[in-house]
Amino acid sequence: MSHTRTPVVAGWFTEDCTEEDFRLLGTRCSGCSTVSFPREDGFCRNPGCPGGEPAEVQLSKQGTVWSFTDGRYRPPPPYVSDPDVPWEPCTLVAVELAAERIVVLGQAAPGVGIADLTIGMTVEAVPGVLADAVGSEDLRATWNWRPVPTPDSGAPDGGAA
């Protein structure tokens, strides 16, 4: 079966790149340097900004786990999913990006559950697909958060070996 990778939202992450080069895309205001994700192309969200043009920036690849939970039910619309495909629980992770200090929510990489995560551990953004799209012809491309192995243990940072 051939697969088509369609971004869940175009312009939110790099496409057609290696896993190492994968990045979330945001915008930085030229007036006050405020970084936005999701991207804001029309105006700066900072109410105290003197005004400036937003420009696209690649966001930090790594960040620290701010919070996490497991999703055991199908989210309601506007979330798009096929009601004929059984819902598979997934792990959701809120990550504070290293340089930008903003929190971005996303699914954990396949095989990563809440038992594999701890608050403050280092994770990285990697290409992924929405959990309920696995196995379909149209893969809805998104990002996943994956624990970064620590150099001395070989285990994910803060996780069990």
Side-chain angles (χ1 to χ4, degrees):
M1 175 187 316
S2 66
H3 299 284
T4 303
R5 290 181 60 89
T6 305
V8 172
V9 181
W12 282 21
F13 49 86
T14 56
E15 299 176 47
D16 301 322
C17 62
T18 64
E19 184 173 298
E20 185 175 308
D21 293 333
F22 183 82
R23 296 288 189 282
L24 295 176
L25 299 174
T27 52
R28 180 182 309 277
C29 175
S30 64
C32 69
S33 299
T34 295
V35 176
S36 296
F37 183 84
R39 60 186 303 132
E40 183 55 69
D41 293 311
F43 59 92
C44 179
R45 294 182 190 156
N46 178 357
C49 178
E53 292 295 320
E56 182 176 285
V57 292
Q58 291 190 357
L59 303 179
S60 300
K61 184 166 181 67
Q62 295 187 352
T64 56
V65 173
W66 188 76
S67 187
F68 55 91
T69 190
D70 55 345
R72 297 190 173 269
Y73 66 93
R74 185 185 313 270
Y79 183 83
V80 178
S81 67
D82 184 348
D84 295 329
V85 176
W87 175 255
E88 294 289 331
C90 61
T91 301
L92 302 174
V93 188
V95 175
E96 183 177 82
L97 298 180
E100 298 82 7
R101 309 296 303 237
I102 59 175
V103 177
V104 175
L105 186 65
Q107 289 183 342
V112 176
I114 58 173
D116 303 311
L117 300 169
T118 58
I119 302 297
M121 75 186 306
T122 303
V123 293
E124 64 182 352
V126 294
V129 296
L130 288 182
D132 66 337
V134 174
S136 71
E137 291 181 31
D138 183 20
L139 300 178
R140 289 174 299 194
T142 187
W143 67 93
N144 288 154
W145 295 112
R146 179 178 65 197
V148 174
T150 58
D152 54 7
S153 70
D157 184 17

